[in-house]
Each structure stands twice: as structure tokens, then as C-alpha cells.
């Protein structure tokens, strides 16, 4: 392999890792909710779309950037809170499968609502980030991707700090550990669920802005949920670290596969490659790379 | 204090060493071979150990169960009783030790072959098929005897029909034996708890097992229900000759029902003998003093 | 012999119920084979009954897997696609293959795929399995678009369905396609009905309700799951053939997308998991609800599904 080939591999790899961060960004929203309430929230993708659409529509109506951000945040918090109250709380104690299908239905409702409120046209979203690639040691890196990764990293750090050092964060971890024990020591589960849905709304906002800026704000944006699912399966539904590492692995291997495997099978493999990869890993480790391995109690 | 904990540490260490020795040591295996070749021993465990994370649920447990006996296993909460039954039925895999069932020796019992090995069980927490009627739940207990394929079932071919008829007959017998006639066609999930427990016993009995494992079959029952259930357990042994391992907290039931009693505490077997022997055993008394259940007299 | 005689004596035949059932079945036949072909308008048949029948059949198939056996699948329309393309290719490449055989072979191909993509169910449960069934969805759609062989190297990728005929009788008219559809659906539904009420069906339910207990009492859990995948995919595959051959009249991968899979899932949720009749009721009501909120039929059925849970 020549030096330039080598550089090219590195370039592909770095590009893949950076887009992997974007996958993790969506996956983390799932993990937050799954860890505390055992719900695989399929509506996370629609929440991302809803956030991006709300923000871009506000900006287009001449509302300043910061204010739009604030309003969108408020809307997302309200949305998360409402979902928790109206859909999930009445369904508490139902099987995880029932809850999942409820969120699946929810995703269509949110999309329908977004369509009704904001219409169906595609919006461009300019976050004012310069997207000229720059060169480091002979490889090209997209500055947008780099910044997006930095924002994602900052958000993960912020969330971790929140969950490690605040009282409510402590409660969150207690609930994630053992719901019944948490209930027994008097933690108020509904308040924690409320907080978690709020946090998930916030994550959706960040993901919505970054993905929206990258792809344009359009309805297919909600399909990034399909990118997040294999990441979750790989990392385990209940591990934030897993979501991050899973995202990186999928991002990198997907790009490498596209470049080196794609040409042999006619390309277009990015739709299923991540799933195949996740599946192979799962068959070896049925609860993902970082999911807890437990012996079922009988 | 320090002395005690040092002593405990030393004891731990010693038992670890002996556990390792038990693995390497062919004497244990030979003992098992001898036991499992004895026709009157239905089940023999030797040197069973299992841990979950840091918790040693069982360490170095031996147990022999003879044909036709009702063998109680008692102990405080978390003593490892359910773990023991789960290891025998292949749902947990022991880290150490061997299990011999009717002459065949395993380090891991294959759960999917359990029924054909002649072992049936009930669960501490109900494990019925909520979407099936009582009769169909019980009929499932004989699924291991079925041979007809799904095509034969859809087409209603003779083999499928005769299997169905045979199983229906056995089911009816058990339904009558356990007095379940009046609820036989109800959805099992709609029954009160005590009856569901009884259906689970029926599902195990219909398989006509040689060895029956009962994990707290009377837990949560009223005194009358308990007495009734105890009657069924005894009748199952007396009429069908099935050997029974019984986990039960109610000491009155245990003493009245069982031939021998093994006592577990913190994963170790601390006593094994007739009810009278066990009751007088100082180690058993010590184990139970101070546990919450020791306080209300009747239950241990 | 003696036992059977006893049984008969103990169980008096419930004549009222039997008559009721017979009357219902007769009414169904009269409507399906008499009233509809004679009086239904072309629009009713083409735009409503044909998709209704195909999707209902798919829902019956998925219900077997998800409702009865408890294995959540998000890739149903992939199996429809395999069935549709299978039927197209068998018809194209084997001279003079009777339609019924074509359909059965297509169903068998779908069943084969179902078993392959059901293999993960042996190790995975719940969401992990559900996500892995998405692999089937995306892989099949990709393969059918990517490899021209499947669509006979047709440049547009959209191929028209072959002529339909049984025993020399052309079924290309709307009524003919309807008769083919309704007969297939009735036969398969009847077979599924027998299956779920047999010992095999009870094994499905046992695995769904308590896999551990099922294994311990000797239900062959792995075999049962794969069988559920196979039979379910067989039926969904044939539903795919109906969808492409009788309703759309074209065979194309695009229609068999994730949305279609979710649609089938919604049908079985609203109709009631583990209820065969439900598959038909809902399909009808969601068709009528579409006229109220055009463009977002999904939101409607989604709303229904959530309401169904809350009650
Ligand atoms: N599947 C498992 N995963 C983790 N820990 C387990 C598991 N099963 C049992 N344990 C632990 O092993 C120990 C013994 O549990 P076990 O259920 O065997 O006790 P038991 O004697 O049946 O108690 P009880 O009377 O409450 O039923 C306990 O500390 C328990 O927490
Ligand atoms: Mg127990």
C-alpha cells in the first residue's frame, strides 16, 4: 500500500468516525429513556425532526437565532413532557413491546403534526458554520463534522456531569439500576421520567440542528432513527458509553465498507451494512458490546 | 471483631481451596459415579457451586435424593434454594460440581431435555401460559411425548388425533385428581393465585415425572389452601410414586410432609436429616435466630 | 374407542352454536362469491377490496409470528417482496407453471428467507430481535433494486404482473383477480385457524407467554420459533404475490418499504394481537378512516393504536 493509499484510508476512517459521532448523538436520546423506563422510544427520530423544523421555521420568520433556540428548547421540553404524561404514564406496567409500538405510533403522530403546523417543504438550515474542509498532515477533514463532533462531545460531557453530580442525576442512576428499589426508598419515579424526557427532548434538539444543517431540514430527517438503531444494538440499549463507542464503530466501518466493499456489490450498502454488522456482533454477544449480561431470574 | 472477620476470611479461603480440590479431585467424581449407579438414588449433586457477580449463591453443596422420598430444602431468604433447583433443571449452570439424574451425570443439565429425563418442576413465581385455558396449560405438560408435525395437526391426520386423544385423557385424569374440573376451561390468567399454583402442579404432574421439583408451591396461600396443597403433594407421591424435592418456608408443612430435610444457609448446606434431627440441630437454630422470619415462631 | 364414546356422551353437541356457525359461514360464502362479484363496482374491488385482502392476509401471517409466538418483526414487507418477486421469477423462468404452484413456490421462498432472518431469534429477544429483523427489510429491498436479474433486467425496475389464469380460465379482470384473492385468503386463513388451535399453535403461545417454562416442559423452543418464522413468512409471501399480481399489477421493490411493514404491524395491534378476525376488521376501518384524513392515514392508525392500548 502506498503512502497515499494509507492517507486515504485514514481520511475515510476519520470521516467515518466523525459521522459516527452524529449517530451516537441520536442514540444517546434513546439510551436516556430506555435506561430509566425500559421504553425503546421510536419517536426519537420524529422528535429530532420536530426540533429542527420548529427551529428553522422560527428563524425563517425573522426571530433571532438565540431566541429561536430558546423557544425551540421550550417546545421540545413541553413535547417530551406531554408525551410522558399522555402516552407513557397511562401505559405504565405494560410490556416493553406494547410501549415500543405506542412510540412507533407516536412517531407518526408527531410527524403528522409537524406536517400540519410547518408544511412539507425542505428548509435549508445555516448554523453559520464554515464548511470548507481543511488539511491536517495530508488528510482532509470537514470542519463542520469536526465541530459537530465537538458539540456532541460537549453535550455528552454536560449530560454526564448532570447525571453524576446533581441530586436528580443520582436519582436517575438509582432508577436505572433498580426501579423497585428506587421506588422503595421513596424516589418519585414520575418526576424522574419527566426529567429524562426533557433531557431526551434537549438531545433531540441538538441532533436536529446538527443533522438539519448537514442534510437540510426535511421529512426524511426522522429516518436517522434507523441509523441509531444498529448503534444501540451494538452498544446495548442501556449504555451511554455503548452508544458512543457503537456510533464510532458503525460510522467508521460503514464508511470503510462503502469505499472498499461497496464497489464489489454495486454500492448502496449503507442502508443495511450497519444492521448486518450489529447482527454479527449480537450473535456473539447477545446483549451488545456494553449491555449488562444477566442470568434471567426464575 | 477483627478475629471473627479474619476467621471468616480464612474459612472462605479454605473452602475455596477445597472447592478447587473438589474439581481436581477424582474422589468426588467417583463418589458421584457410585451414587448415580445406585438404583435407589434418583438425584445426586456433588460439590455444586455458583455465584452471581460477587454473590456466592451456593458453595460446595452435596445432596442425594432417594426414590420415593419427599425431600425438603429449607433456609432463609436468599439462602440459595431456588438456585439449587434451577441448577438441577438446567436453567442456571453451576460453576462447579456435577449433577447426576437417574444414572446420567452432567456438569450442565440440558434444560430442553429435562422432561425426557423424567424431571418436572414448578416455579417460585408463577410461570403459566396466561393465554391458554387451564386444560391446555396442563396438556402442554405432555408436549415432550408428541411426535406429530404441524402438517399432521393442520390436516388432522391419525397420529395427531391419537396423540391429542391420549393427552386429553391424561389431562382429564390430572384435572380430576387436583379437583380442577370446575375451572378447566377458563383462561388460566383469570384464576385466583392459589388455583394457578395448583394448575402449575398439574402441568408438572401430567408429565408423569420420576422427579418433581417444587419451588415454594404453597407460598402466599391461606392455611386451608396450604393444607389442601400438602394433601395433593403427598398423594402425588403415594399414588404415583414420584420423588419430590420441596422448597417451603412454612416449617409446619415441612415437618409434616417430608421424609428428610436439607437446610441451606448463605449457600452452604448446614444440616441434612430427618425432620426431628434437623429441628434439634444447633447450627440450624443459630441460622434461623436473627432472621426476620425466625421471629414469628411458626415460619422459619 | 370407549374413551371417544364417553367423550361424546359427556359433551352434548351445542346445536344452537353449530347452526349459528354454519349460518355465518354460508353468509360469508354467499357474500364473497355471490354478492360481491355480482354487485360490487369496479372501483370498490380495485381500490378497496384487493388491497384489503392482501394486507389482511399479511396481517394474519404477522399475527402468527408476533401475536401468537411473541416474536416482534419489523420486516414483514420484505417477505412480501420476496413472495412477489419469487412468483414473478418462477412464472417467468418456468414454462407453463400453474398459478397455484407458482404461488406456493413463492411462499416457500419467503419461508426460506423467514427462517434465515429468524435465526437470530434463537439468541436474541425483544428489541434486539426486532432491530435485527430490520436487517431483512433493508437487505431485501437493496438486493431487489441492485440486482437486475430479479426484475429480468428491466431498465425501469417496474415490471408488470403476468397474466393470471387457472385451468385455462383467465382471471385478469377485476372480478377474476378478486376471486383469486378471496379464495387464497380464505383457504390460508382457514389453515391458520386450524394451526393456532392445534398443539403447534399452543406451543407458539407457550413460547410467547413463558419461554423458560416452555423449554423446561419440553417445548422445542428453537424449532417452534423457526417454524413460526417459516409459516408466517410463507403467508406474508403469498400476501405479497396478491398485492403485486392482483392489486398493483406491477412488481416493484419500492412499494415494499418500511412503512408498509409498520402498516401491517398497526393492523395487528389495533385488531388485537393473537386475534385472526382482528386482522380483517381493522384493515377495513383504517381504509375508511383514510377518507377522513387524506395523506396521513398512518397518523390515524397510529392514533387508533395508541387508543387501543389505553383501553
Ligand atoms: N439470576 C440471578 N442473577 C443474579 N443473582 C441471583 C440470581 N439468582 C439468584 N441470585 C442471587 O443468589 C442468591 C440466592 O438466591 P435464591 O433465589 O437461590 O434464594 P432462595 O433461597 O430461593 O431465596 P427465597 O427464599 O427468597 O426464594 C441471592 O443473593 C440472589 O440475589
Ligand atoms: Mg427462592
Amino acid at each position: 500500500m502506498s503512502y497515499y493509499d494509507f492517507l486515504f484510508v485514514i481520511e475515510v476512517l476519520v470521516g467515518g468516525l466523525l459521522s459516527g459521532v452524529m449517530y451516537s448523538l441520536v442514540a444517546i436520546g434513546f439510551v436516556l429513556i430506555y435506561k430509566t423506563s425500559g421504553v425503546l422510544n421510536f419517536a426519537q427520530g420524529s422528535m429530532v425532526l420536530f426540533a429542527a423544523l420548529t427551529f428553522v421555521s422560527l428563524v425563517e420568520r425573522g426571530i433571532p437565532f438565540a431566541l429561536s433556540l430558546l423557544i425551540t428548547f421550550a417546545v421540545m421540553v413541553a413535547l417530551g413532557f406531554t408525551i410522558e404524561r399522555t402516552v407513557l404514564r397511562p401505559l405504565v406496567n405494560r410490556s416493553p413491546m406494547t410501549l415500543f409500538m405506542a412510540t412507533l405510533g407516536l412517531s407518526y403522530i408527531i410527524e403528522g403534526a409537524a406536517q400540519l403546523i410547518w408544511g412539507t417543504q425542505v428548509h435549508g438550515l445555516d448554523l453559520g458554520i464554515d464548511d470548507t474542509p481543511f488539511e491536517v498532515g495530508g488528510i482532509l477533514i470537514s470542519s463542520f463534522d469536526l465541530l459537530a463532533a465537538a458539540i456532541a462531545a460537549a453535550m455528552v460531557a454536560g449530560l454526564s456531569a448532570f447525571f453524576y453530580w446533581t441530586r436528580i442525576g443520582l436519582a436517575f442512576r438509582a432508577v436505572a439500576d433498580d426501579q423497585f428499589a428506587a421506588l422503595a426508598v421513596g424516589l418519585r419515579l414520575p418526576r424522574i421520567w419527566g426529567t429524562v424526557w426533557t433531557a431526551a427532548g434537549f438531545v433531540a434538539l441538538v441532533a436536529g440542528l446538527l443533522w438539519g444543517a448537514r442534510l437540510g431540514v426535511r421529512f426524511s430527517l426522522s429516518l436517522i432513527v434507523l441509523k441509531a438503531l444498529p448503534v444501540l444494538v451494538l452498544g446495548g440499549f442501556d449504555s451511554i458509553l455503548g452508544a458512543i463507542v457503537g456510533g464510532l464503530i458503525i460510522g467508521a466501518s460503514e464508511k470503510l465498507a462503502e469505499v472498499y466493499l461497496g464497489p464489489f456489490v454495486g454500492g448502496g450498502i449503507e442502508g443495511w451494512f450497519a444492521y448486518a454488522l450489529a447482527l454479527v456482533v449480537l450473535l456473539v454477544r447477545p446483549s451488545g458490546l456494553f449491555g449488562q449480561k444477566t442470568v434471567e431470574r426464575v | 471483631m477483627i478475629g471473627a472477620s479474619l476467621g471468616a476470611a480464612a474459612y472462605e479461603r479454605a473452602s475455596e481451596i477445597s472447592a478447587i480440590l473438589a474439581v481436581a479431585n477424582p474422589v468426588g467424581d467417583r463418589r458421584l459415579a457410585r451414587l448415580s449407579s445406585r438404583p435407589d438414588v434418583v438425584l445426586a449433586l456433588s460439590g455444586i457451586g455458583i455465584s452471581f457477580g460477587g454473590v456466592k449463591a451456593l458453595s460446595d453443596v452435596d445432596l442425594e435424593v432417594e426414590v420415593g422420598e419427599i425431600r425438603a430444602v429449607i433456609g432463609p431468604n436468599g439462602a440459595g434454594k431456588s438456585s439449587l433447583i434451577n441448577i438441577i433443571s438446567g436453567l442456571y449452570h453451576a460453576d462447579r460440581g456435577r449433577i447426576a439424574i437417574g444414572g446420567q451425570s452432567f456438569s450442565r443439565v440440558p434444560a430442553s431435555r429435562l422432561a425426557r429425563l423424567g424431571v418436572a418442576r414448578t416455579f417460585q413465581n408463577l410461570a403459566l401460559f396466561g393465554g391458554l385455558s387451564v386444560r391446555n396449560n396442563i396438556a402442554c405438560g405432555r408436549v415432550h411425548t408428541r411426535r406429530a408435525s404441524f402438517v399432521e395437526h393442520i390436516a388432522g391426520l391419525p397420529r395427531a388425533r391419537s396423540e391429542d386423544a391420549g393427552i386429553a385423557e391424561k389431562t382429564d385424569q390430572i384435572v380430576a385428581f387436583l379437583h380442577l374440573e370446575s375451572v378447566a376451561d377458563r383462561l388460566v390468567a383469570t384464576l385466583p393465585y392459589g388455583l394457578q399454583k395448583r394448575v402449575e402442579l398439574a402441568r408438572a404432574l401430567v408429565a408423569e415425572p420420576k422427579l418433581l421439583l417444587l419451588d415454594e408451591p404453597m407460598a402466599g396461600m391461606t392455611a386451608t389452601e396450604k393444607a389442601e396443597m400438602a394433601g395433593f403433594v403427598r398423594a402425588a407421591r403415594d399414588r404415583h410414586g414420584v420423588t419430590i424435592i420441596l422448597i417451603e418456608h412454612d416449617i409446619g408443612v415441612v415437618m409434616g410432609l417430608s421424609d428428610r430435610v436439607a437446610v441451606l444457609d448463605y449457600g452452604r448446606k448446614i444440616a441434612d436429616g430427618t425432620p426431628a434431627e434437623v429441628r434439634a440441630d444447633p447450627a440450624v437454630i443459630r441460622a434461623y435466630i436473627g432472621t426476620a422470619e425466625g421471629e414469628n415462631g411458626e415460619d422459619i | 374407542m370407549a374413551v371417544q364414546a364417553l367423550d361424546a356422551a359427556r359433551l352434548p353437541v351445542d346445536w344452537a352454536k353449530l347452526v349459528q356457525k354454519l349460518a355465518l359461514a354460508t353468509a360469508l360464502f354467499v357474500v364473497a362469491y355471490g354478492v360481491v362479484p355480482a354487485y360490487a363496482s369496479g372501483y370498490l374491488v380495485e381500490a378497496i377490496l384487493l388491497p384489503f385482502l392482501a394486507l389482511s392476509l399479511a396481517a394474519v401471517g404477522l399475527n402468527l409470528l408476533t401475536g401468537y409466538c411473541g416474536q416482534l418483526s419489523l420486516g414483514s414487507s420484505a417477505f412480501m417482496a420476496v413472495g412477489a418477486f419469487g412468483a414473478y421469477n418462477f412464472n417467468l423462468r418456468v414454462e407453463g407453471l400453474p398459478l397455484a404452484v407458482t404461488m406456493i413456490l413463492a411462499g416457500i421462498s419467503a419461508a426460506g428467507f423467514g427462517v434465515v432472518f429468524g435465526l437470530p431469534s434463537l439468541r436474541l429477544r425483544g428489541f434486539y430481535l426486532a432491530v435485527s429483523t430490520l436487517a431483512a427489510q433493508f437487505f431485501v429491498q437493496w438486493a431487489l433494486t441492485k440486482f437486475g436479474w430479479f426484475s429480468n433486467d428491466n431498465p425501469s425496475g417496474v415490471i408488470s404482473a403476468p397474466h393470471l389464469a387457472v385451468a385455462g380460465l383467465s382471471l385478469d379482470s377485476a372480478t377474476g383477480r378478486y376471486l383469486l384473492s378471496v379464495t387464497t385468503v380464505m383457504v390460508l386463513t382457514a389453515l391458520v385457524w386450524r394451526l393456532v388451535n392445534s398443539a403447534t399453535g399452543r406451543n407458539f403461545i407457550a413460547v410467547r407467554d413463558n419461554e423458560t417454562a416452555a423449554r423446561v416442559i419440553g417445548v422445542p423452543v428453537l424449532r417452534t420459533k423457526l417454524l413460526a418464522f417459516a409459516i408466517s413468512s410463507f403467508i406474508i409471501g403469498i400476501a405479497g404475490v396478491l398485492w403485486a399480481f392482483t392489486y398493483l399489477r406491477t412488481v416493484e421493490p419500492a412499494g415494499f418499504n418500511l412503512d408498509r411493514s409498520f402498516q401491517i404491524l398497526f393492523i395487528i395491534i389495533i385488531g388485537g394481537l393473537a386475534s385472526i378476525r382482528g386482522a380483517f376488521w381493522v384493515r377495513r376501518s383504517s381504509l375508511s378512516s383514510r377518507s377522513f384524513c387524506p395523506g396521513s392515514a398512518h397518523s390515524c392508525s397510529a392514533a387508533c393504536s395508541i387508543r387501543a392500548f389505553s383501553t
Side-chain angles (χ1 to χ4, degrees):
Chain A
M1 201 197 307
S2 78
Y3 178 63
Y4 289 102
D5 286 344
F6 178 71
L7 277 188
F8 181 65
V9 174
I10 298 290
E11 193 174 305
V12 171
L13 199 63
V14 169
L17 287 173
L18 290 176
S19 59
V21 174
M22 302 277 285
Y23 296 160
S24 307
L25 203 56
V26 184
I28 287 171
F30 280 92
V31 173
L32 285 179
I33 290 172
Y34 187 85
K35 247 177 119 72
T36 42
S37 43
V39 183
L40 179 61
N41 175 29
F42 197 84
Q44 189 72 27
S46 328
M47 286 168 69
V48 169
L49 167 74
F50 196 83
L53 211 52
T54 306
F55 178 77
V56 87
S57 305
L58 290 173
V59 169
E60 278 174 7
R61 279 165 182 69
I63 298 171
F65 189 92
L67 187 60
S68 302
L69 203 61
L70 212 66
I71 296 175
T72 311
F73 181 57
V75 168
M76 290 316 291
V77 168
L79 181 68
F81 196 75
T82 314
I83 294 175
E84 201 275 316
R85 266 299 154 84
T86 57
V87 179
L88 292 166
R89 196 158 316 167
L91 292 178
V92 78
N93 289 336
R94 293 305 193 82
S95 78
M97 211 145 105
T98 308
L99 293 170
F100 167 73
M101 294 200 246
T103 64
L104 187 62
L106 195 61
S107 72
Y108 282 105
I109 292 179
I110 295 177
E111 270 173 58
Q115 208 166 352
L116 271 179
I117 301 173
W118 304 120
T120 50
Q121 68 273 36
V122 178
H123 306 258
L125 173 58
D126 185 8
L127 295 177
I129 304 170
D130 179 28
D131 198 16
T132 45
F134 63 91
E135 206 185 304
V136 181
I139 62 173
L140 286 175
I141 297 179
S142 150
S143 55
F144 176 82
D145 284 356
L146 198 63
L147 191 74
I151 293 175
M155 193 190 72
V156 170
L159 280 175
S160 306
F162 176 74
F163 284 118
Y164 273 86
W165 286 312
T166 63
R167 263 182 75 84
I168 190 104
L170 196 69
F172 165 87
R173 282 186 291 139
V175 173
D177 215 41
D178 186 342
Q179 237 181 65
F180 290 107
L183 204 58
V185 299
L187 291 176
R188 271 170 299 175
L189 285 179
R191 227 181 84 196
I192 294 163
W193 288 334
T195 313
V196 166
W197 276 88
T198 308
F202 173 68
V203 174
L205 170 65
V206 177
L209 294 187
L210 293 176
W211 276 98
R214 203 182 199 207
L215 302 177
V217 179
R218 61 181 83 213
F219 270 79
S220 57
L221 205 55
S222 65
L223 293 182
I224 54 171
V225 61
L226 298 176
K227 288 287 179 199
L229 286 177
V231 171
L232 288 166
V233 163
L234 199 64
F237 287 110
D238 51 7
S239 161
I240 291 190
L241 181 68
I244 296 167
V245 178
L248 295 178
I249 292 177
I250 292 225
S253 49
E254 195 179 71
K255 280 271 154 27
L256 286 174
E258 236 175 279
V259 173
Y260 292 101
L261 190 65
F264 293 107
V265 292
I269 62 172
E270 66 275 2
W272 57 266
F273 178 79
Y275 284 90
L277 181 71
L279 207 57
V280 170
V281 172
L282 272 191
L283 291 181
V284 183
R285 287 187 58 100
S287 46
L289 285 177
F290 295 91
Q292 283 159 16
K293 183 175 183 295
T294 53
V295 182
E296 190 196 356
R297 272 174 196 265
V298 258
Chain B
M1 236 9 242
I2 294 171
S5 70
L6 272 182
Y11 183 65
E12 286 267 326
R13 185 90 196 101
S15 69
E16 250 169 53
I17 292 170
S18 73
I20 293 166
L21 284 178
V23 175
N25 183 354
V27 174
D29 284 352
R30 240 180 283 141
R31 191 184 65 95
L32 191 75
R34 199 179 63 236
L35 279 170
S36 58
S37 64
R38 254 171 57 189
D40 58 333
V41 172
V42 178
L43 173 82
L45 306 181
S46 84
I48 294 294
I50 188 172
S51 43
F52 300 99
V55 182
K56 276 194 177 172
L58 288 172
S59 29
D60 202 16
V61 172
D62 297 332
L63 189 74
E64 287 108 48
V65 180
E66 288 174 11
V67 169
E69 76 172 331
I70 297 181
R71 184 62 168 272
V73 176
I74 64 172
N77 287 112
K81 307 180 292 296
S82 297
S83 301
L84 193 72
I85 277 198
N86 290 339
I87 287 173
I88 298 170
S89 48
L91 296 178
Y92 290 180
H93 296 310
D95 304 330
R96 302 197 188 80
R98 293 191 73 79
I99 304 113
I101 300 176
Q104 262 178 290
S105 166
F106 305 93
S107 60
R108 294 176 154 204
V109 180
S112 52
R113 274 178 48 207
L114 196 69
R116 267 172 286 155
L117 285 169
V119 183
R121 67 166 289 174
T122 65
F123 294 81
Q124 178 167 1
N125 301 307
L126 286 171
L128 288 167
F129 309 125
L132 291 176
S133 71
V134 168
R135 202 184 287 281
N136 283 337
N137 262 280
I138 299 174
C140 277
R142 287 199 71 78
V143 69
H144 65 287
T145 63
R146 287 188 185 271
R147 294 289 169 275
S149 70
F150 78 99
V151 178
E152 290 173 273
H153 279 296
I154 293 180
L157 296 187
R159 181 158 73 156
R161 285 225 304 267
S162 75
E163 273 180 12
D164 282 347
I167 289 177
E169 193 189 334
K170 291 256 196 273
T171 305
D172 281 347
Q173 286 168 3
I174 295 290
V175 163
F177 176 49
L178 295 183
H179 305 323
L180 288 165
E181 294 97 336
S182 59
V183 293
D185 292 309
R186 277 187 39 198
L187 215 54
V188 75
T190 65
L191 297 189
Y193 177 79
L195 277 182
Q196 293 198 26
K197 281 272 191 197
R198 209 191 289 177
V199 176
E200 221 184 303
L201 177 64
R203 186 181 66 187
L205 279 177
V206 81
E208 300 178 334
K210 290 200 283 284
L211 175 65
L212 178 61
L213 314 171
L214 302 175
D215 196 348
E216 305 201 12
M218 295 149 213
M221 286 189 170
T222 64
T224 4
E225 282 175 329
K226 274 185 188 175
E228 211 177 3
M229 195 66 160
F232 290 137
V233 171
R234 195 198 315 270
R237 193 266 308 266
D238 293 347
R239 279 201 229 162
H240 303 286
V242 52
T243 308
I244 295 172
I245 297 184
L246 169 73
I247 295 180
E248 184 48 51
H249 277 292
D250 187 323
I251 199 66
V253 170
V254 168
M255 294 299 163
L257 204 54
S258 46
D259 303 311
R260 283 195 291 168
V261 182
V263 188
L264 292 180
D265 188 29
Y266 291 110
R268 291 172 191 288
K269 191 169 85 172
I270 57 169
D272 198 352
T274 64
E277 284 165 9
V278 163
R279 181 168 245 171
D281 193 313
V284 177
I285 295 168
R286 224 177 309 125
Y288 275 99
I289 286 173
T291 67
E293 282 155 320
E295 284 157 21
N296 55 19
E298 185 62 13
D299 275 12
I300 54 171
Chain C
M1 237 15 247
V3 174
Q4 275 166 8
L6 255 176
D7 269 340
R10 206 188 45 201
L11 291 173
V13 182
D14 191 342
W15 286 108
K17 230 177 180 169
L18 203 69
V19 169
Q20 208 185 337
K21 270 189 181 167
L22 269 175
L24 213 74
T26 320
L28 193 69
F29 267 86
V30 170
V31 171
Y33 289 106
V35 179
V36 170
Y39 297 107
S41 70
Y43 171 80
L44 181 68
V45 169
E46 297 256 1
I48 297 191
L49 285 179
L50 288 176
F52 158 76
L53 286 167
L55 285 188
S56 295
L57 185 61
V60 167
L62 179 63
N63 209 350
L64 202 56
L65 181 66
T66 301
Y68 284 89
C69 198
Q71 313 296 305
L72 179 56
S73 160
L74 303 176
S76 319
S77 68
F79 301 116
M80 285 178 83
V82 172
F85 276 85
Y88 170 76
N89 280 294
F90 281 119
N91 185 279
L92 180 76
R93 288 164 212 281
V94 185
E95 196 68 34
L97 201 61
L99 184 58
V101 179
T102 308
M103 286 172 72
I104 291 173
L105 287 177
I108 291 175
S109 326
F113 263 87
V115 170
V116 170
F117 283 99
L119 281 174
S121 74
L122 305 186
R123 290 208 68 180
L124 309 180
R125 286 191 194 184
F127 297 136
Y128 289 96
L129 175 65
V131 172
S132 79
T133 60
L134 283 176
Q137 175 71 51
F138 297 126
F139 180 78
V140 167
Q141 244 188 308
W142 171 82
L144 290 179
T145 345
K146 209 77 227 170
F147 302 112
W149 185 85
F150 290 116
S151 43
N152 202 23
D153 292 315
N154 185 305
S156 71
V158 180
I159 43 189
S160 43
H163 292 296
L164 304 173
V166 170
L169 232 68
S170 166
L171 294 175
D172 286 327
S173 68
T175 311
R177 282 180 278 138
Y178 162 77
L179 287 175
L180 172 65
S181 224
V182 84
T183 308
T184 312
V185 171
M186 290 220 274
V187 168
L188 284 177
T189 307
L191 292 181
V192 169
W193 193 278
R194 278 191 69 88
L195 178 78
V196 297
N197 287 305
S198 75
T200 310
R202 292 197 289 276
N203 282 355
F204 286 2
I205 295 176
V207 168
R208 173 196 74 188
D209 284 351
N210 199 314
E211 196 178 315
T212 307
R215 188 169 44 200
V216 165
I217 63 173
V219 174
V221 173
L222 307 186
R223 200 152 22 106
T224 301
K225 282 183 182 175
L226 289 185
L227 187 65
F229 266 97
I231 301 178
S232 151
S233 311
F234 177 85
I235 293 164
I236 297 177
I238 290 188
V241 181
L242 293 183
W243 181 260
F245 281 19
T246 70
Y247 169 52
L248 290 183
R249 304 292 288 137
T250 60
V251 188
E252 51 186 326
F256 299 111
N257 56 13
L258 191 60
D259 269 343
R260 180 86 54 236
S261 293
F262 286 165
Q263 192 182 9
I264 298 167
L265 191 60
F266 282 136
I267 295 176
I268 70 165
I269 296 167
I270 308 169
L273 291 166
S275 139
I276 294 178
R277 218 173 303 152
F280 292 93
W281 287 128
V282 174
R283 185 59 204 132
R284 223 177 51 182
S285 66
S286 83
L287 275 169
S288 54
S289 77
R290 180 177 290 172
S291 43
F292 295 120
C293 39
S296 55
H298 265 318
S299 304
C300 273
S301 24
C304 288
S305 78
I306 288 178
R307 214 183 48 212
F309 284 144
S310 323
T311 52

